[in-house]
Amino acid sequence: MRYDLLQWADETRGTEQIPGFVERRAKYHGKFFKTDSIKIFGTGASSTYGSVVWDQEVLKKTVAALDREKFRIYIHDIGPTSTYNLMLDALEYAQKQNGKRDARHMITHVSDEAIPTIPRFLSLGIRADGHPLPKAFFDTNVQLSSSSDYPVREFYPMTRISAGVQSGIPLSRMLASHTINGAEAIFAENETGSIEVGKAADLVVMSHNLYKLKAEELEKAEELENAQVLMTMFNGKILYDAQTDHTSKERVTEQPDSHDH
């Protein structure tokens, strides 16, 4: 797979840990992975619900310093509304210190309690991620993506896609939130995230043509949830084929470059 591994920012160490992040970013990267992002636990980690982990002044200075070093900042926040505002305050402070850029900073675990902060997500250009996100975010121009939060939640994306459709989010938006939007979140949209000439063939072949499901079929959760993966391709190589019901060792052996990392 392609991924951006998140280095964790310790709330007790502030800006002193940033040189280590820079060193590891330079050292640990490969054909399909990088370490360009920093994970910040805003709430819900070493805190109880509604309690912010970081001292706000330390958070603001750390976020600004990370942004200055061109890291992508990925903030874990489970609410309530006041905590989303505190995280957005820190990101806004970074913009005031360093100027606005295409940073693609993101807050994840975005819930209904973040809905009042949508205007700030928009004005600051902060991305929102959820499992799935509230429909209100899809009704705006907030840059967004959907993720699994596995193993806390179900890994299979069709479950979340179905849940989103049941809540009134268009199927096309839900599919995009799991594909091209996720690629954009880690600056990989020129390589993957959609099926286009010149991009790597990272794709799955499904048992249903999801776009041809009728409205009454989309209203039934099982029509989407029961869709099965028939084939998986990564970087143009077939790695799974339901006809054999296992990963093809023969193909991987013949093409070892697909497993460099």
Side-chain angles (χ1 to χ4, degrees), residues 1-231:
M1 65 175 69
R2 302 175 195 276
Y3 61 97
D4 190 337
L5 184 67
L6 302 167
Q7 300 189 65
W8 169 61
D10 185 337
E11 66 270 14
T12 68
R13 297 183 59 214
T15 57
E16 71 178 52
Q17 60 198 308
I18 294 177
F21 295 148
V22 173
E23 180 181 350
R24 287 187 289 274
R25 176 175 61 182
K27 182 177 181 181
Y28 298 112
H29 57 86
K31 184 176 180 181
F32 300 125
F33 81 100
K34 51 191 175 183
T35 52
D36 290 347
S37 299
I38 305 296
K39 176 81 175 273
I40 288 176
F41 281 103
T43 64
S46 55
S47 69
T48 56
Y49 175 77
S51 176
V52 177
V53 175
W54 287 71
D55 172 85
Q56 186 65 12
E57 288 305 308
V58 173
L59 176 66
K60 288 165 62 176
K61 291 176 181 178
T62 303
V63 167
L66 288 168
D67 179 71
R68 195 175 304 119
E69 292 290 346
K70 303 297 189 290
F71 281 105
R72 184 180 75 103
I73 299 165
Y74 186 86
I75 300 179
H76 169 120
D77 194 325
I78 62 173
T81 305
S82 59
T83 65
Y84 291 112
N85 275 314
L86 288 171
M87 300 305 117
L88 291 165
D89 286 346
L91 292 163
E92 183 174 18
Y93 176 81
Q95 286 188 7
K96 289 179 177 177
Q97 293 294 307
N98 306 326
K100 201 167 184 178
R101 64 185 180 87
D102 183 16
R104 307 192 192 182
H105 300 322
M106 176 183 288
I107 298 178
T108 188
H109 306 294
V110 171
S111 68
D112 286 346
E113 293 173 276
I115 291 173
T117 67
I118 285 176
R120 297 195 69 195
F121 274 89
L122 284 167
S123 65
L124 295 171
I126 305 303
R127 304 181 78 93
D129 179 78
H131 328 295
L133 286 162
K135 182 177 180 294
F137 277 82
F138 284 87
D139 290 339
T140 69
N141 291 322
V142 173
Q143 296 174 309
L144 54 81
S145 59
S146 295
S147 60
S148 70
D149 196 29
Y150 182 81
V152 177
R153 293 175 172 84
E154 168 63 52
F155 175 81
Y156 191 49
M158 294 309 300
T159 301
R160 287 182 307 284
I161 290 170
S162 176
V165 171
Q166 302 312 305
S167 70
I169 300 168
L171 174 63
S172 59
R173 296 293 308 279
M174 284 304 304
L175 290 171
S177 74
H178 280 83
T179 53
I180 187 63
N181 296 7
E184 289 173 351
I186 60 170
F187 294 90
E189 71 273 18
N190 292 327
E191 306 165 37
T192 188
S194 60
I195 303 172
E196 299 180 57
V197 174
K199 288 191 178 184
D202 296 346
L203 57 94
V204 293
V205 178
M206 305 297 293
S207 58
H208 296 59
N209 184 334
L210 304 181
Y211 289 105
K212 289 190 175 181
L213 289 176
K214 298 177 181 177
E216 58 268 23
E217 293 174 314
L218 288 174
E219 290 174 0
K220 301 175 182 178
E222 61 269 15
E223 292 295 335
L224 286 170
E225 290 192 44
N226 290 341
Q228 299 296 308
V229 175
L230 301 182
M231 180 181 290

Side-chain angles (χ1 to χ4, degrees), residues 1-3 31-33 191-192 200-204 231-240 255-261:
M1 65 175 69
R2 302 175 195 276
Y3 61 97
K31 184 176 180 181
F32 300 125
F33 81 100
E191 306 165 37
T192 188
D202 296 346
L203 57 94
V204 293
M231 180 181 290
T232 301
M233 293 184 69
F234 175 74
N235 202 38
K237 312 296 191 298
I238 298 173
L239 299 183
Y240 171 80
Q255 299 161 334
D257 60 1
S258 66
H259 279 262
D260 287 346
H261 304 290

